[in-house]
Amino acid sequence: MKHYSDDPRDLGNFQAEEFIRRLVPVIAEWRRTLKPTGSLLLNFQPQTIDGAVSPSTWLLPQAVAMNGLYIVQELWIVKTNAMPSNSPRLLKPCVERVIHAVKDPATYVVDKAAIKRPSLWAHQDNRPWKYSAAGADGGNFLAPALERLNRLAVKDVLRLVCAEDANVLPIAKTQNQSIVHPAKMLDEVAEWLIRYGSAPGGTVGDNFCGSGTSAIAAKRLGRHYVASDLNADYVAQAEAALAEVEFGSLLVDSTTSTRPRASAPRPPAQHVAHSCAACGKNFFPSKPWQRFCSRPCHDGHPNGKRRPHEKKVDTRRSRRSRTAQAKDPVHLDQ
């Protein structure tokens, strides 16, 4: 339901059932070219026609499922640049849907570790069995604003907040900046989906590439890409942007990570072996300051004698007992 070009084949010119009918041959081609280990990630936003939800909202998943693909899950994207609603009663659409479809539910491969986040509580709670510093599963709810804040420095965040359009991240400069795509995907969304659904060195395909956001993200993440579009101006803009992108510049490894890493939690004292100060045997102390593995080692070691305040308590106790005996009349008579 968006006007992308004057080409009569442009699917944005059609609605509801006609849109789905023209998309079916494309879905068949997706299934033919998809590897058994690959994934189809179809991103769309539900639309309304005359105050009611467009039938394509539920017909699109049905068309994917009825053409030999299996829908394994559905992802949700929180839009940081949601357009306001023109309806006096409807709320503005703030989410988009991503249908995750595969050829065979038993053979497709994804990389959950590539999109995991450091646990927010790992630095406060040192119980390793409860919080993992290696990464927490973010779930099927993607908020691009969080991806932006995790990747940018403070000065970059301030520059974007103070910019005229704070919801659009700058991409590589192109030769023709006058062309503005009406439905440009956020860079964070494309990178997140490519990290999750493909492996480095794999191939990412997009035959509705527009200005090339998915192809640019694929090249930055070390993936090969096959992209096409009906609009020749968009293709030229994408090619100009891709020429200035370095292959694999966003690959995350152990040495050059663009995301902050949470420090590993400090293990509790009872999970660290200590050496007994008396016999030298390794043991797990119940208290951090415990130096002896047993009571005999504690009593037999020179440093294991009673502390001064303990001796003082015993002395007072004996003094009170002598005073009580001196005041006992029976004892004095005897």
Side-chain angles (χ1 to χ4, degrees):
M1 296 179 62
K2 288 184 179 294
H3 183 73
Y4 297 100
S5 67
D6 296 330
D7 194 303
R9 299 170 297 172
D10 188 351
L11 293 181
N13 299 325
F14 307 98
Q15 298 179 2
E17 291 83 355
E18 181 64 19
F19 170 81
I20 299 298
R21 188 183 70 81
R22 292 178 177 267
L23 188 64
V24 166
V26 182
I27 298 176
E29 188 68 8
W30 286 340
R31 184 184 183 280
R32 186 187 69 82
T33 58
L34 190 64
K35 292 182 178 180
T37 57
S39 295
L40 169 65
L41 298 169
L42 182 56
N43 172 219
F44 70 100
Q45 177 181 325
Q47 299 285 351
T48 57
I49 301 177
D50 298 332
V53 177
S54 171
S56 60
T57 303
W58 60 83
L59 291 177
L60 184 55
Q62 292 181 13
V64 172
M66 294 177 63
N67 282 272
L69 293 170
Y70 296 87
I71 298 178
V72 293
Q73 63 181 338
E74 188 170 299
L75 312 177
W76 293 87
I77 301 173
V78 181
K79 299 185 65 175
T80 56
N81 57 344
M83 298 297 292
S85 174
N86 294 326
S87 173
R89 293 180 292 179
L90 298 179
L91 302 176
K92 65 179 180 179
C94 295
V95 296
E96 292 186 5
R97 297 168 63 185
V98 179
I99 297 176
H100 183 190
V102 298
K103 272 189 173 180
D104 187 355
T107 59
Y108 77 95
V109 178
V110 294
D111 189 2
K112 289 182 63 175
I115 58 173
K116 285 183 177 293
R117 298 180 169 280
S119 174
L120 298 177
W121 308 104
H123 66 288
Q124 298 183 6
D125 194 331
N126 56 9
R127 291 175 289 180
W129 59 90
K130 189 169 184 181
Y131 299 108
S132 173
D137 189 352
N140 64 342
F141 205 71
L142 171 62
L146 297 180
E147 294 289 329
R148 178 184 292 117
L149 292 178
N150 279 343
R151 194 176 60 185
L152 296 179
V154 175
K155 60 179 182 180
D156 297 326
V157 175
L158 293 177
R159 176 173 58 84
L160 290 174
V161 171
C162 298
E164 182 178 355
D165 186 0
N167 292 321
V168 179
L169 282 178
I171 60 174
K173 295 182 180 179
T174 61
Q175 297 177 357
N176 189 350
Q177 294 288 346
S178 61
I179 304 174
V180 179
H181 197 275
K184 182 184 179 300
M185 176 182 287
L186 288 176
D187 295 345
E188 296 88 353
V189 174
E191 293 171 7
W192 192 94
L193 295 176
I194 292 174
R195 288 179 191 273
Y196 174 67
S198 65
T203 303
V204 175
D206 185 1
N207 57 318
F208 296 96
C209 73
S211 56
T213 303
S214 60
I216 294 172
K219 188 174 181 180
R220 287 176 174 173
L221 293 171
R223 276 78 163 172
H224 304 284
Y225 58 89
V226 178
S228 62
D229 197 272
L230 290 177
N231 192 322
D233 294 333
Y234 292 152
V235 173
Q237 181 181 2
E239 290 177 344
L242 285 165
E244 301 183 12
V245 174
E246 181 182 356
F247 185 84
S249 59
L250 286 184
L251 283 178
V252 177
D253 54 23
S254 58
T255 57
T256 58
S257 175
T258 57
R259 297 182 181 180
R261 294 179 179 269
S263 57
R266 185 178 179 181
Q270 60 265 28
H271 293 284
V272 178
H274 287 188
S275 178
C276 180
C279 65
K281 177 182 177 182
N282 290 332
F283 71 102
F284 292 93
S286 58
K287 303 294 182 182
W289 56 82
Q290 186 176 347
R291 300 177 59 243
F292 303 98
C293 63
S294 61
R295 189 68 186 180
C297 288
H298 176 273
D299 295 338
H301 195 269
N303 293 336
K305 296 181 180 180
R306 291 184 301 177
R307 299 173 181 175
H309 70 274
E310 294 177 344
K311 296 180 181 179
K312 191 173 183 179
V313 171
D314 294 340
T315 303
R316 289 179 179 179
R317 186 181 298 110
S318 60
R319 184 182 303 170
R320 286 197 298 269
S321 62
R322 290 196 300 268
T323 304
Q325 292 178 0
K327 292 182 179 180
D328 189 356
V330 178
H331 178 71
L332 293 177
D333 293 340
Q334 292 177 351

